Short mmCIF file of all heavy atoms in Angstrom, two decimals:
data_model
loop_
_atom_site.label_atom_id
_atom_site.label_comp_id
_atom_site.label_asym_id
_atom_site.label_seq_id
_atom_site.Cartn_x
_atom_site.Cartn_y
_atom_site.Cartn_z
N MET A 9 3.26 -2.37 -34.55
CA MET A 9 3.48 -3.46 -33.61
C MET A 9 2.23 -3.72 -32.80
O MET A 9 1.84 -4.88 -32.56
CB MET A 9 4.64 -3.13 -32.67
CG MET A 9 4.99 -4.27 -31.70
SD MET A 9 6.37 -3.90 -30.63
CE MET A 9 5.61 -2.77 -29.48
N LEU A 10 1.56 -2.64 -32.37
CA LEU A 10 0.33 -2.80 -31.61
C LEU A 10 -0.72 -3.54 -32.42
O LEU A 10 -1.36 -4.48 -31.93
CB LEU A 10 -0.20 -1.42 -31.19
CG LEU A 10 -1.58 -1.37 -30.53
CD1 LEU A 10 -1.59 -2.20 -29.26
CD2 LEU A 10 -1.96 0.06 -30.24
N LEU A 11 -0.88 -3.19 -33.69
CA LEU A 11 -1.87 -3.85 -34.54
C LEU A 11 -1.54 -5.33 -34.73
O LEU A 11 -2.42 -6.19 -34.69
CB LEU A 11 -1.94 -3.14 -35.91
CG LEU A 11 -2.55 -1.73 -35.88
CD1 LEU A 11 -2.41 -1.08 -37.25
CD2 LEU A 11 -4.00 -1.77 -35.46
N VAL A 12 -0.26 -5.62 -34.93
CA VAL A 12 0.16 -7.02 -35.10
C VAL A 12 -0.18 -7.83 -33.85
O VAL A 12 -0.70 -8.94 -33.91
CB VAL A 12 1.66 -7.11 -35.43
CG1 VAL A 12 2.15 -8.55 -35.33
CG2 VAL A 12 1.92 -6.55 -36.82
N LEU A 13 0.13 -7.26 -32.67
CA LEU A 13 -0.15 -7.95 -31.42
C LEU A 13 -1.65 -8.18 -31.25
O LEU A 13 -2.09 -9.24 -30.80
CB LEU A 13 0.39 -7.15 -30.23
CG LEU A 13 1.92 -7.15 -30.08
CD1 LEU A 13 2.34 -6.13 -29.04
CD2 LEU A 13 2.43 -8.52 -29.71
N LEU A 14 -2.43 -7.19 -31.64
CA LEU A 14 -3.88 -7.34 -31.53
C LEU A 14 -4.37 -8.47 -32.43
O LEU A 14 -5.20 -9.28 -32.05
CB LEU A 14 -4.56 -6.02 -31.91
CG LEU A 14 -4.43 -4.88 -30.90
CD1 LEU A 14 -4.96 -3.58 -31.51
CD2 LEU A 14 -5.19 -5.19 -29.62
N LEU A 15 -3.84 -8.53 -33.66
CA LEU A 15 -4.27 -9.55 -34.60
C LEU A 15 -3.82 -10.95 -34.20
O LEU A 15 -4.49 -11.94 -34.48
CB LEU A 15 -3.74 -9.22 -36.01
CG LEU A 15 -4.37 -7.98 -36.67
CD1 LEU A 15 -3.61 -7.64 -37.94
CD2 LEU A 15 -5.84 -8.24 -36.98
N LEU A 16 -2.68 -11.01 -33.51
CA LEU A 16 -2.10 -12.32 -33.20
C LEU A 16 -2.57 -12.91 -31.88
O LEU A 16 -2.07 -13.93 -31.46
CB LEU A 16 -0.57 -12.23 -33.19
CG LEU A 16 0.08 -12.03 -34.56
CD1 LEU A 16 1.59 -11.96 -34.40
CD2 LEU A 16 -0.29 -13.15 -35.52
N GLY A 17 -3.47 -12.26 -31.21
CA GLY A 17 -3.92 -12.94 -29.99
C GLY A 17 -4.44 -12.08 -28.88
O GLY A 17 -4.65 -12.57 -27.79
N SER A 18 -4.67 -10.80 -29.11
CA SER A 18 -5.22 -10.00 -28.04
C SER A 18 -6.68 -10.35 -27.83
O SER A 18 -7.42 -10.59 -28.78
CB SER A 18 -5.12 -8.51 -28.40
OG SER A 18 -3.78 -8.13 -28.50
N PRO A 19 -7.12 -10.40 -26.60
CA PRO A 19 -8.52 -10.70 -26.34
C PRO A 19 -9.41 -9.56 -26.79
O PRO A 19 -8.98 -8.41 -26.83
CB PRO A 19 -8.56 -10.88 -24.82
CG PRO A 19 -7.40 -10.12 -24.31
CD PRO A 19 -6.34 -10.19 -25.37
N ALA A 20 -10.63 -9.86 -27.13
CA ALA A 20 -11.56 -8.83 -27.60
C ALA A 20 -12.28 -8.22 -26.40
O ALA A 20 -13.42 -8.56 -26.08
CB ALA A 20 -12.55 -9.46 -28.58
N GLY A 21 -11.63 -7.32 -25.71
CA GLY A 21 -12.23 -6.64 -24.57
C GLY A 21 -12.20 -7.51 -23.33
O GLY A 21 -11.74 -8.64 -23.32
N GLY A 22 -12.70 -6.94 -22.22
CA GLY A 22 -12.77 -7.70 -20.98
C GLY A 22 -11.44 -7.91 -20.32
O GLY A 22 -11.23 -8.91 -19.63
N GLU A 23 -10.49 -6.97 -20.51
CA GLU A 23 -9.17 -7.14 -19.90
C GLU A 23 -9.28 -7.02 -18.37
O GLU A 23 -10.08 -6.26 -17.84
CB GLU A 23 -8.20 -6.07 -20.42
CG GLU A 23 -7.90 -6.15 -21.89
CD GLU A 23 -8.95 -5.45 -22.73
OE1 GLU A 23 -9.68 -4.59 -22.17
OE2 GLU A 23 -9.07 -5.77 -23.92
N GLU A 24 -8.46 -7.79 -17.68
CA GLU A 24 -8.38 -7.68 -16.23
C GLU A 24 -7.49 -6.50 -15.86
O GLU A 24 -6.42 -6.30 -16.46
CB GLU A 24 -7.82 -8.97 -15.64
CG GLU A 24 -8.75 -10.16 -15.80
CD GLU A 24 -8.23 -11.38 -15.07
OE1 GLU A 24 -8.22 -11.38 -13.82
OE2 GLU A 24 -7.80 -12.32 -15.75
N LYS A 25 -7.92 -5.75 -14.86
CA LYS A 25 -7.20 -4.54 -14.48
C LYS A 25 -6.23 -4.81 -13.35
O LYS A 25 -6.53 -5.53 -12.40
CB LYS A 25 -8.20 -3.46 -14.06
CG LYS A 25 -9.10 -2.97 -15.19
CD LYS A 25 -10.02 -1.85 -14.72
CE LYS A 25 -10.89 -1.35 -15.88
NZ LYS A 25 -11.80 -0.26 -15.44
N LEU A 26 -5.04 -4.22 -13.48
CA LEU A 26 -4.04 -4.25 -12.43
C LEU A 26 -3.49 -2.84 -12.24
O LEU A 26 -3.33 -2.10 -13.22
CB LEU A 26 -2.88 -5.19 -12.78
CG LEU A 26 -3.11 -6.70 -12.70
CD1 LEU A 26 -1.87 -7.43 -13.19
CD2 LEU A 26 -3.45 -7.15 -11.28
N SER A 27 -3.19 -2.50 -11.01
CA SER A 27 -2.51 -1.22 -10.74
C SER A 27 -1.07 -1.52 -10.35
O SER A 27 -0.79 -2.41 -9.55
CB SER A 27 -3.22 -0.46 -9.62
OG SER A 27 -3.35 -1.25 -8.45
N LEU A 28 -0.15 -0.77 -10.95
CA LEU A 28 1.28 -0.92 -10.70
C LEU A 28 1.84 0.42 -10.27
O LEU A 28 1.71 1.41 -10.99
CB LEU A 28 1.99 -1.38 -11.98
CG LEU A 28 3.52 -1.28 -11.99
CD1 LEU A 28 4.13 -2.25 -10.98
CD2 LEU A 28 4.07 -1.55 -13.39
N MET A 29 2.46 0.47 -9.10
CA MET A 29 3.10 1.69 -8.65
C MET A 29 4.61 1.57 -8.81
O MET A 29 5.23 0.62 -8.32
CB MET A 29 2.76 1.99 -7.19
CG MET A 29 3.40 3.29 -6.68
SD MET A 29 2.72 3.89 -5.11
CE MET A 29 1.21 4.67 -5.71
N LEU A 30 5.19 2.51 -9.53
CA LEU A 30 6.63 2.53 -9.75
C LEU A 30 7.36 2.85 -8.45
O LEU A 30 6.76 3.32 -7.48
CB LEU A 30 6.99 3.57 -10.81
CG LEU A 30 6.34 3.41 -12.18
CD1 LEU A 30 6.73 4.57 -13.10
CD2 LEU A 30 6.71 2.08 -12.82
N ASP A 31 8.67 2.60 -8.45
CA ASP A 31 9.47 2.93 -7.27
C ASP A 31 9.70 4.43 -7.14
O ASP A 31 9.97 4.94 -6.06
CB ASP A 31 10.82 2.21 -7.34
CG ASP A 31 11.59 2.57 -8.61
OD1 ASP A 31 11.04 2.39 -9.72
OD2 ASP A 31 12.75 3.01 -8.51
N TRP A 32 9.62 5.14 -8.28
CA TRP A 32 9.85 6.59 -8.29
C TRP A 32 9.25 7.12 -9.57
O TRP A 32 8.49 6.42 -10.24
CB TRP A 32 11.35 6.87 -8.15
CG TRP A 32 11.72 8.28 -7.75
CD1 TRP A 32 12.67 9.08 -8.33
CD2 TRP A 32 11.18 9.06 -6.67
NE1 TRP A 32 12.76 10.29 -7.68
CE2 TRP A 32 11.85 10.31 -6.66
CE3 TRP A 32 10.18 8.83 -5.72
CZ2 TRP A 32 11.56 11.33 -5.74
CZ3 TRP A 32 9.89 9.85 -4.80
CH2 TRP A 32 10.58 11.06 -4.81
N PHE A 33 9.56 8.35 -9.95
CA PHE A 33 9.00 8.90 -11.18
C PHE A 33 9.46 8.08 -12.39
O PHE A 33 10.51 7.42 -12.32
CB PHE A 33 9.40 10.38 -11.34
CG PHE A 33 10.88 10.60 -11.44
CD1 PHE A 33 11.54 10.51 -12.66
CD2 PHE A 33 11.62 10.91 -10.30
CE1 PHE A 33 12.92 10.71 -12.74
CE2 PHE A 33 13.00 11.11 -10.38
CZ PHE A 33 13.64 11.00 -11.61
N PRO A 34 8.70 8.11 -13.48
CA PRO A 34 9.09 7.32 -14.66
C PRO A 34 10.48 7.70 -15.15
O PRO A 34 10.82 8.88 -15.27
CB PRO A 34 8.02 7.68 -15.70
CG PRO A 34 6.85 8.11 -14.90
CD PRO A 34 7.42 8.80 -13.69
N ASN A 35 11.30 6.68 -15.45
CA ASN A 35 12.62 6.90 -16.01
C ASN A 35 13.00 5.66 -16.81
O ASN A 35 12.22 4.71 -16.91
CB ASN A 35 13.65 7.22 -14.91
CG ASN A 35 13.74 6.13 -13.86
OD1 ASN A 35 14.22 5.03 -14.12
ND2 ASN A 35 13.24 6.41 -12.65
N VAL A 36 14.20 5.65 -17.38
CA VAL A 36 14.55 4.58 -18.31
C VAL A 36 14.72 3.23 -17.64
O VAL A 36 14.76 2.20 -18.33
CB VAL A 36 15.82 4.93 -19.12
CG1 VAL A 36 15.55 6.08 -20.07
CG2 VAL A 36 17.00 5.24 -18.21
N ASP A 37 14.77 3.18 -16.31
CA ASP A 37 14.74 1.88 -15.63
C ASP A 37 13.43 1.15 -15.93
O ASP A 37 13.34 -0.07 -15.79
CB ASP A 37 14.86 2.05 -14.11
CG ASP A 37 16.20 2.62 -13.70
OD1 ASP A 37 17.16 2.52 -14.47
OD2 ASP A 37 16.29 3.17 -12.58
N HIS A 38 12.41 1.91 -16.31
CA HIS A 38 11.06 1.38 -16.50
C HIS A 38 10.70 1.15 -17.96
O HIS A 38 9.53 0.84 -18.26
CB HIS A 38 10.05 2.34 -15.88
CG HIS A 38 10.36 2.76 -14.49
ND1 HIS A 38 10.32 4.07 -14.06
CD2 HIS A 38 10.76 2.03 -13.40
CE1 HIS A 38 10.65 4.14 -12.78
NE2 HIS A 38 10.94 2.91 -12.36
N VAL A 39 11.65 1.29 -18.87
CA VAL A 39 11.34 1.20 -20.31
C VAL A 39 10.51 -0.05 -20.65
O VAL A 39 9.50 0.05 -21.35
CB VAL A 39 12.62 1.28 -21.15
CG1 VAL A 39 12.37 0.80 -22.59
CG2 VAL A 39 13.15 2.71 -21.18
N PRO A 40 10.89 -1.26 -20.19
CA PRO A 40 10.09 -2.44 -20.59
C PRO A 40 8.63 -2.36 -20.16
O PRO A 40 7.76 -2.92 -20.83
CB PRO A 40 10.82 -3.60 -19.90
CG PRO A 40 12.22 -3.13 -19.74
CD PRO A 40 12.09 -1.67 -19.43
N LEU A 41 8.35 -1.69 -19.05
CA LEU A 41 6.98 -1.57 -18.60
C LEU A 41 6.16 -0.72 -19.56
O LEU A 41 4.99 -1.03 -19.86
CB LEU A 41 6.93 -0.97 -17.20
CG LEU A 41 7.65 -1.78 -16.11
CD1 LEU A 41 7.62 -1.04 -14.78
CD2 LEU A 41 7.03 -3.16 -15.97
N PHE A 42 6.77 0.35 -20.06
CA PHE A 42 6.06 1.20 -21.01
C PHE A 42 6.01 0.56 -22.39
O PHE A 42 5.06 0.79 -23.14
CB PHE A 42 6.69 2.59 -21.04
CG PHE A 42 6.41 3.38 -19.79
CD1 PHE A 42 7.36 3.50 -18.79
CD2 PHE A 42 5.17 3.97 -19.61
CE1 PHE A 42 7.08 4.21 -17.63
CE2 PHE A 42 4.88 4.68 -18.45
CZ PHE A 42 5.83 4.80 -17.45
N VAL A 43 7.00 -0.27 -22.71
CA VAL A 43 6.93 -1.07 -23.93
C VAL A 43 5.71 -1.98 -23.86
O VAL A 43 4.94 -2.10 -24.83
CB VAL A 43 8.22 -1.89 -24.13
CG1 VAL A 43 8.03 -2.98 -25.18
CG2 VAL A 43 9.38 -0.98 -24.53
N ALA A 44 5.53 -2.63 -22.71
CA ALA A 44 4.41 -3.55 -22.56
C ALA A 44 3.07 -2.83 -22.66
O ALA A 44 2.11 -3.36 -23.24
CB ALA A 44 4.51 -4.29 -21.23
N ARG A 45 3.01 -1.62 -22.12
CA ARG A 45 1.74 -0.88 -22.17
C ARG A 45 1.51 -0.23 -23.54
O ARG A 45 0.47 -0.43 -24.16
CB ARG A 45 1.69 0.19 -21.08
CG ARG A 45 0.28 0.76 -20.90
CD ARG A 45 0.26 1.87 -19.88
NE ARG A 45 0.87 3.10 -20.37
CZ ARG A 45 0.93 4.25 -19.71
NH1 ARG A 45 0.41 4.30 -18.49
NH2 ARG A 45 1.49 5.32 -20.21
N GLN A 46 2.50 0.54 -24.00
CA GLN A 46 2.33 1.27 -25.26
C GLN A 46 2.29 0.34 -26.46
O GLN A 46 1.61 0.61 -27.45
CB GLN A 46 3.46 2.28 -25.44
CG GLN A 46 3.58 3.34 -24.37
CD GLN A 46 2.34 4.20 -24.26
OE1 GLN A 46 1.61 4.14 -23.28
NE2 GLN A 46 2.08 4.99 -25.28
N GLY A 47 3.04 -0.77 -26.37
CA GLY A 47 3.13 -1.69 -27.49
C GLY A 47 2.05 -2.75 -27.53
O GLY A 47 2.07 -3.62 -28.40
N GLY A 48 1.11 -2.71 -26.58
CA GLY A 48 0.00 -3.64 -26.61
C GLY A 48 0.29 -5.01 -26.04
O GLY A 48 -0.54 -5.92 -26.17
N ILE A 49 1.43 -5.19 -25.39
CA ILE A 49 1.78 -6.51 -24.87
C ILE A 49 0.90 -6.87 -23.67
O ILE A 49 0.44 -8.01 -23.53
CB ILE A 49 3.28 -6.59 -24.52
CG1 ILE A 49 4.12 -6.40 -25.78
CG2 ILE A 49 3.62 -7.93 -23.87
CD1 ILE A 49 5.62 -6.32 -25.54
N PHE A 50 0.66 -5.90 -22.78
CA PHE A 50 -0.27 -6.16 -21.69
C PHE A 50 -1.64 -6.55 -22.24
O PHE A 50 -2.28 -7.50 -21.77
CB PHE A 50 -0.40 -4.94 -20.78
CG PHE A 50 0.76 -4.71 -19.85
CD1 PHE A 50 1.20 -3.43 -19.55
CD2 PHE A 50 1.41 -5.78 -19.23
CE1 PHE A 50 2.26 -3.21 -18.68
CE2 PHE A 50 2.48 -5.57 -18.36
CZ PHE A 50 2.90 -4.28 -18.10
N LEU A 51 -2.08 -5.80 -23.23
CA LEU A 51 -3.38 -6.07 -23.84
C LEU A 51 -3.43 -7.47 -24.43
O LEU A 51 -4.42 -8.19 -24.29
CB LEU A 51 -3.66 -5.03 -24.93
CG LEU A 51 -5.07 -5.00 -25.53
CD1 LEU A 51 -6.10 -4.65 -24.47
CD2 LEU A 51 -5.12 -4.02 -26.69
N LYS A 52 -2.35 -7.87 -25.08
CA LYS A 52 -2.26 -9.21 -25.66
C LYS A 52 -2.45 -10.29 -24.59
O LYS A 52 -3.00 -11.36 -24.87
CB LYS A 52 -0.90 -9.37 -26.35
CG LYS A 52 -0.62 -10.78 -26.88
CD LYS A 52 0.80 -10.84 -27.41
CE LYS A 52 1.20 -12.27 -27.75
NZ LYS A 52 2.62 -12.35 -28.17
N HIS A 53 -1.99 -10.01 -23.38
CA HIS A 53 -2.11 -10.97 -22.28
C HIS A 53 -3.39 -10.77 -21.47
O HIS A 53 -3.52 -11.31 -20.37
CB HIS A 53 -0.88 -10.87 -21.38
CG HIS A 53 0.36 -11.45 -22.00
ND1 HIS A 53 0.79 -12.74 -21.73
CD2 HIS A 53 1.25 -10.94 -22.88
CE1 HIS A 53 1.90 -12.99 -22.42
NE2 HIS A 53 2.19 -11.91 -23.13
N GLY A 54 -4.30 -9.99 -22.02
CA GLY A 54 -5.60 -9.81 -21.37
C GLY A 54 -5.58 -8.90 -20.18
O GLY A 54 -6.39 -9.05 -19.26
N LEU A 55 -4.66 -7.91 -20.18
CA LEU A 55 -4.48 -7.05 -19.02
C LEU A 55 -4.61 -5.58 -19.39
O LEU A 55 -4.21 -5.16 -20.48
CB LEU A 55 -3.09 -7.27 -18.41
CG LEU A 55 -2.73 -8.68 -17.94
CD1 LEU A 55 -1.26 -8.75 -17.57
CD2 LEU A 55 -3.61 -9.10 -16.77
N SER A 56 -5.14 -4.83 -18.47
CA SER A 56 -5.12 -3.37 -18.53
C SER A 56 -4.37 -2.90 -17.29
O SER A 56 -4.85 -3.10 -16.16
CB SER A 56 -6.54 -2.81 -18.53
OG SER A 56 -6.52 -1.40 -18.43
N VAL A 57 -3.19 -2.33 -17.49
CA VAL A 57 -2.31 -2.00 -16.36
C VAL A 57 -2.22 -0.49 -16.20
O VAL A 57 -1.79 0.22 -17.11
CB VAL A 57 -0.90 -2.60 -16.56
CG1 VAL A 57 0.01 -2.23 -15.39
CG2 VAL A 57 -0.99 -4.13 -16.69
N GLU A 58 -2.62 -0.02 -15.04
CA GLU A 58 -2.49 1.40 -14.71
C GLU A 58 -1.15 1.61 -14.01
O GLU A 58 -0.89 1.02 -12.96
CB GLU A 58 -3.63 1.83 -13.77
CG GLU A 58 -3.53 3.28 -13.33
CD GLU A 58 -4.47 3.64 -12.19
OE1 GLU A 58 -5.11 2.72 -11.65
OE2 GLU A 58 -4.53 4.83 -11.84
N ILE A 59 -0.30 2.44 -14.59
CA ILE A 59 1.03 2.71 -14.03
C ILE A 59 0.97 4.01 -13.24
O ILE A 59 0.62 5.06 -13.79
CB ILE A 59 2.10 2.77 -15.13
CG1 ILE A 59 2.18 1.42 -15.86
CG2 ILE A 59 3.46 3.13 -14.53
CD1 ILE A 59 3.17 1.40 -17.01
N GLN A 60 1.32 3.95 -11.96
CA GLN A 60 1.27 5.11 -11.07
C GLN A 60 2.67 5.46 -10.58
O GLN A 60 3.56 4.61 -10.53
CB GLN A 60 0.38 4.81 -9.86
CG GLN A 60 -1.01 4.34 -10.19
CD GLN A 60 -1.78 3.91 -8.95
OE1 GLN A 60 -1.35 4.16 -7.81
NE2 GLN A 60 -2.92 3.29 -9.15
N SER A 61 2.85 6.72 -10.20
CA SER A 61 4.09 7.17 -9.57
C SER A 61 3.81 7.52 -8.12
O SER A 61 2.76 8.07 -7.80
CB SER A 61 4.66 8.40 -10.29
OG SER A 61 4.98 8.09 -11.63
N PRO A 62 4.75 7.21 -7.22
CA PRO A 62 4.52 7.50 -5.80
C PRO A 62 4.91 8.94 -5.46
O PRO A 62 5.65 9.60 -6.20
CB PRO A 62 5.46 6.52 -5.10
CG PRO A 62 6.63 6.42 -6.05
CD PRO A 62 6.03 6.53 -7.44
#
Side-chain angles (χ1 to χ4, degrees):
M9 183 178 75
L10 173 59
L11 291 173
V12 169
L13 288 170
L14 288 171
L15 291 171
L16 290 180
S18 296
E23 296 84 20
E24 293 186 69
K25 295 183 179 180
L26 285 175
S27 54
L28 166 67
M29 181 166 280
L30 302 177
D31 58 304
W32 197 228
F33 61 86
N35 57 70
V36 292
D37 295 339
H38 310 133
V39 164
L41 300 176
F42 288 101
V43 166
R45 193 183 73 177
Q46 299 300 111
I49 297 175
F50 284 143
L51 190 64
K52 174 186 171 184
H53 287 263
L55 301 172
S56 173
V57 179
E58 177 192 7
I59 299 177
Q60 306 174 11
S61 298

